[in-house]
Amino acid sequence: MEKDTYRTITKPSEEILFKDKNSKFFGYAFPITNEDEVKLYLENLKQQHQKAGHFCYAYQLGTDEKKLVYRINDDGEPNNSAGMPIYGQIQSFDVTNILIVVVRYFGGVKLGVGGLINAYKTGAQLALEASKIVKRTINIKFLISFDYKNMNKVMRVIKEKNLKVINQKLELDCQITISVRKKDAESIFNIFDTIYEVKIKDLTI
């Protein structure tokens, strides 16, 4: 069965610090809903850590496994030594709609690629461990359109099925937007689709 829940965080993690051979790695996890927020969080961290050498990060957006958007950035560290290990932790904790940034201050001693991979992985892991991870349901939004005279039919189904109404416009032409758990979406769609003079449209497509 297709999964209809996902795991994410609802507020930024506390700052964590990991040290290795005099280098300092500050780890942060942020909840995000779009790519513009990534830029904002990075700009804030650059203000906060003006003397840091690297701001490495990875993020993932989306709840449909076929349409995930993700990006990794090594920010000047050797290829795949920073962004990839950070992204690996996003996958291993099974979270999405999240940005993880690990800020590095170089301590004068080179860590080598293996040391960097371990340090960035640990920074990301500690930031995720410091975050409260929550489970959310994946919901589909439907727009139901009908004439005022059919109001009772529509309202009866909404009440019987205990559906969540997001907004409604009840005039001569009525429109109600509902949110339905992904696993129930098809059966709810079919119920409204078979009611005479009632139209239903999937808003998530």
Side-chain angles (χ1 to χ4, degrees), residues 46-63:
K46 284 176 180 172
Q47 287 297 314
Q48 210 176 315
H49 295 281
Q50 292 184 4
K51 293 186 174 157
H54 303 276
F55 294 82
C56 304
Y57 64 86
Y59 65 80
Q60 179 172 290
L61 283 163
T63 53

Side-chain angles (χ1 to χ4, degrees), residues 3-9 62-63 94-97 133-139:
K3 82 175 190 175
D4 79 334
T5 59
Y6 65 96
R7 286 153 53 86
T8 190
I9 61 173
T63 53
D94 187 24
V95 284
T96 193
N97 294 350
I133 295 173
V134 295
K135 199 183 221 183
R136 290 279 163 90
T137 57
I138 300 171
N139 297 328

Side-chain angles (χ1 to χ4, degrees), residues 52-165:
H54 303 276
F55 294 82
C56 304
Y57 64 86
Y59 65 80
Q60 179 172 290
L61 283 163
T63 53
D64 182 335
E65 283 167 11
K66 298 179 203 79
K67 297 183 199 154
L68 293 175
V69 173
Y70 71 92
R71 182 151 178 233
I72 59 176
N73 191 320
D74 295 313
D75 195 30
E77 294 283 30
N79 264 1
N80 295 330
S81 67
M84 212 54 210
I86 295 172
Y87 186 58
Q89 290 305 298
I90 291 178
Q91 290 174 306
S92 125
F93 278 76
D94 187 24
V95 284
T96 193
N97 294 350
I98 192 166
L99 162 70
I100 296 180
V101 186
V102 179
V103 179
R104 181 189 183 194
Y105 287 83
F106 181 54
V109 181
K110 288 196 170 177
L111 300 183
V113 170
L116 287 174
I117 288 172
N118 180 56
Y120 282 105
K121 176 191 161 202
T122 306
Q125 181 188 338
L126 293 172
L128 278 161
E129 284 170 359
S131 304
K132 185 172 187 264
I133 295 173
V134 295
K135 199 183 221 183
R136 290 279 163 90
T137 57
I138 300 171
N139 297 328
I140 306 285
K141 283 183 190 165
F142 289 129
L143 176 68
I144 304 162
S145 313
F146 52 95
D147 290 339
Y148 195 78
K149 65 175 193 284
N150 292 308
M151 166 91 78
N152 286 345
K153 293 186 210 169
V154 172
M155 285 314 198
R156 189 178 308 131
V157 177
I158 288 176
K159 205 167 173 188
E160 266 172 25
K161 299 288 177 188
N162 202 9
L163 300 175
K164 183 180 176 190
V165 173

